[in-house]
């Protein structure tokens, strides 16, 4: 019964449950984060592109510089 409703269906069954509306799902993409980097005095600092950092058990990699001390980061999953 859970496969009939959009709120509880998944995969192919979710696609079928919303087909009547003309909606289609987009492919999943990797999450990206906004990283703010600051020195000991609180002033923004630049970090090298490709730098890696961790937050708890998750690892991230600096992808793009947006502004001084502001970077777009993506999840880095070790090989």
């Amino acid at each position: 019964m859970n496969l009939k409703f959009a709120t509880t269906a998944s995969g192919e069954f979710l696609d079928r449950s919303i087909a009547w509306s003309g909606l289609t799902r987009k492919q999943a993409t990797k999450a990206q984060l906004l990283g703010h980097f600051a020195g000991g005095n609180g002033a923004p600092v630049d970090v090298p592109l490709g730098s890696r950092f961790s937050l708890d058990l998750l690892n991230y990699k600096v992808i793009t510089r947006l502004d001084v001390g502001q970077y777009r980061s993506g999840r880095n999953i070790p090989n």
Side-chain angles (χ1 to χ4, degrees):
M1 186 58 117
N2 286 340
L3 300 177
K4 292 182 180 181
F5 303 101
T7 55
T8 54
S10 62
E12 178 185 348
F13 296 100
L14 177 56
D15 293 332
R16 289 181 184 184
S17 71
I18 62 171
W20 65 270
S21 67
L23 295 175
T24 55
R25 295 188 301 149
K26 294 181 180 180
Q27 280 294 110
T29 59
K30 293 182 178 181
Q32 294 188 0
L33 302 171
L34 176 61
H36 293 269
F37 296 87
N41 61 358
V45 295
D46 282 326
V47 296
L49 293 179
S51 295
R52 297 168 190 253
F53 59 98
S54 298
L55 178 62
D56 296 325
L57 297 176
L58 302 177
N59 300 308
Y60 299 92
K61 182 178 180 180
V62 173
I63 299 172
T64 309
R65 182 181 187 268
L66 303 173
D67 201 353
V68 177
Q70 292 186 7
Y71 295 84
R72 180 172 293 122
S73 302
R75 177 93 189 274
N76 183 37
I77 301 171
N79 294 346

